Amino acid sequence: MSVDPGLQPERTRLAWRRTALALTAVTVLTVRLALGGGPVGALAAGSALLVWGLAVRVCWPRATGTGPAPSGGRRLPLVALAAVGYALLGTLLVLPTLW
């Protein structure tokens, strides 16, 4: 007897898509803000693009349903860490413009 998974797999795929879309939007905004900041801004933009590439590599198989099921491990905490890093980077980029 199999258990009907219901809509849970679809909700999971949609959650991964939202995560990938949010990371992409934040990366675009970060790069836009960082490019006006000289060498430090270029470094921030490069870091943002690198983190975005790694995060999308993790999110994409789950968002499209083509990847393996999550097997625990370190990937989900890494995506969470990337989100926290984006928040800190965004704060560092926006704060100087407020003063």
Side-chain angles (χ1 to χ4, degrees):
M1 182 172 155
S2 66
V3 177
D4 181 20
L7 296 176
Q8 189 273 331
E10 182 66 21
R11 286 193 303 262
T12 301
R13 276 195 299 276
L14 291 173
W16 280 105
R17 287 180 188 172
R18 284 191 302 269
T19 301
L21 181 62
L23 288 174
T24 302
V26 170
T27 300
V28 168
L29 292 174
T30 301
V31 169
R32 183 170 182 245
L33 283 172
L35 287 181
V40 175
L43 180 63
S47 299
L49 287 172
L50 178 66
V51 171
W52 174 78
L54 294 172
V56 167
R57 188 175 189 286
V58 171
C59 293
W60 187 258
R62 287 162 179 83
T64 58
T66 58
S71 59
R74 293 173 269 169
R75 291 185 175 180
L76 188 56
L78 287 176
V79 172
L81 187 62
V84 170
Y86 272 119
L88 291 174
L89 184 61
T91 301
L92 290 175
L93 289 172
V94 169
L95 278 180
T97 62
L98 297 177
W99 289 311

